[in-house]
Amino acid sequence: MTRFVVLGFILSSIASPQSIPMASSADGAILHFATSNALKGEPLALSSVRVFRHAETPIPQPVDLRDSRVITGPYLSSDATTTGVFAYYPCSGSCMGESPPNSLQLQRNGKEYSFQAAGFRVSRNGRFVLETSFGFGLIAPTLRDLDTGTSGNPARMLSGLPAQSLTNQGTVLSFDYSQARITPLGRPPLMVFDNQNANIVDASISADGNAVAILTEVPQGKLVFRSYFKLFLIEVASLNSTTLFEGFSTIRGLMISDDGRRLVLNRGEELVLWDRSTGWRSLLTHREKFADLLLSGDGNTVFATTSTNRIYRIDASSGESSQLYAPFPTYLRGQTGSTYPGSLFRFSTDYAGPELELQVDSKNYPRIESEANLLDFQVPWEATGLKGDSRVMEIQSPDSPFVLRSKLFFEEKSSPRLFVDLRTQSITATNQDFTAFINEQNPARPGEIIHFWATGLGPLDRPVPTGAKGPSDPPAKPLEPAACYIFGKDGIPAPRGLEIPTQIYAPNFVGLYQFDVIIPEDWPPGTANIFCKGPADFGSGGDILIAAKP
């Protein structure tokens, strides 16, 4: 195993996908979507979630709807005259006795509305708002008619059927594991689905109230690891039910058009469309997998996002598709490494394409090649004036109108930051000949030289340009080398300084320092801790497993 493979493992990580909520006008001409990114050229400020409008121009425009809480998604009525945002803020404890954590802000017919509740549904025409509330087994929704100003509880249901969908006439669709019912405005509930042999995983009612789509998952036994789905379309007037799909599949969401003539399913790597006249057909496939799905009210336009935050528009009739926005990250998480000059620092993210750049004070920071979903950069050697300070950094791409901003804090003093496995807190280290990682199957041996890596040690004994790999013959050395110590579990045996034959700027790598240390000959077997610190007594460490001496 080469050193390159070793460091490839050190730099590996996993990031989870992030949603881009969307809403559109009925004809699909206007799209609103929420993202934490800012537009290029906007005043320098930290990124926060906002709603943007995509319509006539390729550059999205911010929607003038703000909330002091965290925006979770946009609302847009069929005729695009009612706009709004859903927002959330975390409560301090169990939420008991506190205001509901969710809010809905709407602008309609020149009026502004603000609601607070546990959750919301808004009709496609913007007239009706359904508020759901916390309750001990009681689902007590409040239905508000914004045209008449009246409100009431259309369906107080002791059986616990949560409200899930709302029509333009104020009809509420509710479902639980095996039952679904609709509650027309001013009339008693009507059961539209009851099957004790299936679990309802999703359901939606058309905006005109004439059709209900219900997706169920049928249990297959403990030894079956795939999901068996059935999709039903129910005609409300007759309660006739048609099975549209049945089989093993991956289904991540469905949407129904306002008139119930079309359905779209997200099947992971494929979007499929059902039409009353033509049946099923494939719309678009993508290896990145689709995350969010939106069908315009008229059923003619599909919007979809992928796991790398691409946004597509698809003509549902012709199947023609176009990419509205290129891949771009929506978050940065888990900063590791060091922000001391010359060192590598990194973030996990939902997209880390090679075209991405990082700027601080309008200066590009060198990008370091890494694994998927990781962004690794080097703090320039020349950035000594930023020590102990903070700046707003920007992630940019030539292919995207967006930038992602975050605060970057620069360390004031040099100190080693060892690479550890975040799950086990073990140092990522190899044995003496670099052929294997040290772990339970291959513990370190007393008297053996082990190798591990760190960032943050600062200036070198010779000039190495920013972005250049470390020299190998001879290697560069830190001017302020670290000291390393080994500790026994519960303080037994007593801490001991480690012999460090080699402490260098890692050859052929950028921003990394290599440590070669000797495990003491008489160190007992078991888990020990290695800690390294710089001249300022700052440092880091991790566990290492040591074998019994032969």
Side-chain angles (χ1 to χ4, degrees), residues 262 281 283 300-302 313-322:
R262 280 178 171 171
R281 59 187 173 85
L283 276 182
N300 293 329
T301 306
V302 176
R313 184 204 297 268
I314 307 133
D315 186 308
S317 298
S318 67
E320 294 183 1
S321 63
S322 60

Side-chain angles (χ1 to χ4, degrees), residues 199-531:
N199 296 327
I200 299 177
V201 294
D202 200 358
S204 185
I205 188 169
S206 59
D208 63 10
N210 292 329
V212 176
I214 294 180
L215 180 66
T216 67
E217 183 178 2
V218 182
Q220 297 295 304
K222 295 181 179 180
L223 298 181
V224 179
F225 300 101
R226 292 190 299 164
S227 295
Y228 190 89
F229 290 101
K230 285 187 177 182
L231 177 62
F232 301 92
L233 185 69
I234 299 167
E235 309 296 341
V236 172
S238 63
L239 294 185
N240 287 336
S241 176
T242 303
T243 302
L244 301 183
F245 169 81
E246 179 177 357
F248 290 101
S249 185
T250 297
I251 298 179
R252 298 183 172 186
L254 69 87
M255 288 202 71
I256 188 171
S257 62
D258 286 358
D259 59 4
R261 70 185 176 93
R262 280 178 171 171
L263 278 168
V264 175
L265 289 182
N266 177 359
R267 298 181 61 180
E269 295 184 354
E270 182 184 30
L271 301 178
V272 293
L273 175 89
W274 177 84
D275 185 284
R276 284 183 182 271
S277 301
T278 59
W280 288 104
R281 59 187 173 85
S282 178
L283 276 182
L284 185 65
T285 59
H286 207 291
R287 58 181 176 80
E288 291 176 0
K289 297 184 179 180
F290 294 100
D292 290 284
L293 171 69
L294 177 66
L295 177 64
S296 64
D298 62 9
N300 293 329
T301 306
V302 176
F303 297 96
T305 66
T306 71
S307 60
T308 63
N309 308 308
R310 301 175 194 264
I311 301 182
Y312 282 100
R313 184 204 297 268
I314 307 133
D315 186 308
S317 298
S318 67
E320 294 183 1
S321 63
S322 60
Q323 180 176 278
L324 301 182
Y325 297 100
F328 196 76
T330 59
Y331 68 83
L332 301 173
R333 291 179 184 158
Q335 179 184 332
T336 56
S338 171
T339 53
Y340 198 76
S343 282
L344 174 150
F345 68 99
R346 82 141 57 87
F347 299 92
S348 62
T349 183
D350 49 352
Y351 177 70
E355 74 280 9
L356 297 182
E357 301 173 344
L358 181 142
Q359 284 192 353
V360 176
D361 293 340
S362 300
K363 297 179 181 179
N364 282 344
Y365 279 29
R367 178 83 182 269
I368 301 173
E369 184 179 356
S370 187
E371 302 294 322
N373 297 118
L374 285 177
L375 287 173
D376 286 5
F377 299 93
Q378 183 191 23
V379 180
W381 292 105
E382 303 81 17
T384 54
L386 296 179
K387 291 189 291 186
D389 204 348
S390 64
R391 289 288 191 276
V392 174
M393 67 176 189
E394 281 193 347
I395 303 293
Q396 300 185 3
S397 165
D399 303 325
S400 175
F402 292 108
V403 294
L404 178 57
R405 293 170 176 158
S406 183
K407 184 77 79 172
L408 189 62
F409 295 90
F410 292 88
E411 296 184 38
E412 185 174 3
K413 300 180 183 295
S414 64
S415 62
R417 304 290 181 182
L418 276 60
F419 284 95
V420 299
D421 186 322
L422 298 179
R423 296 165 298 177
T424 64
Q425 295 303 308
S426 297
I427 294 174
T428 303
T430 67
N431 57 10
Q432 187 162 331
D433 58 4
F434 292 97
T435 57
F437 296 112
I438 293 174
N439 52 35
E440 291 184 358
Q441 291 73 39
N442 180 48
R445 298 180 295 275
E448 179 185 25
I449 295 177
I450 65 168
H451 314 278
F452 55 85
W453 291 263
T455 65
L457 269 69
L460 305 174
D461 63 356
R462 76 188 69 176
V464 175
T466 293
K469 296 179 179 180
S472 58
D473 189 19
K477 299 179 180 180
L479 292 177
E480 299 180 335
C484 295
Y485 304 85
I486 187 168
F487 296 78
K489 188 176 182 181
D490 300 324
I492 302 174
R496 192 182 308 179
L498 286 173
E499 184 180 349
I500 308 177
T502 305
Q503 188 174 163
I504 58 176
Y505 190 64
N508 300 314
F509 290 94
V510 179
L512 290 177
Y513 300 80
Q514 178 181 319
F515 286 78
D516 299 349
V517 305
I518 300 176
I519 302 297
E521 288 273 3
D522 57 348
W523 198 264
T527 299
N529 183 275
I530 291 179
F531 183 86

Side-chain angles (χ1 to χ4, degrees), residues 173-175 178-182 190-194 200 214:
L173 169 66
S174 307
F175 70 86
S178 59
Q179 295 180 331
R181 63 168 64 118
I182 61 172
L190 173 67
M191 188 75 69
V192 295
F193 186 84
D194 187 0
I200 299 177
I214 294 180

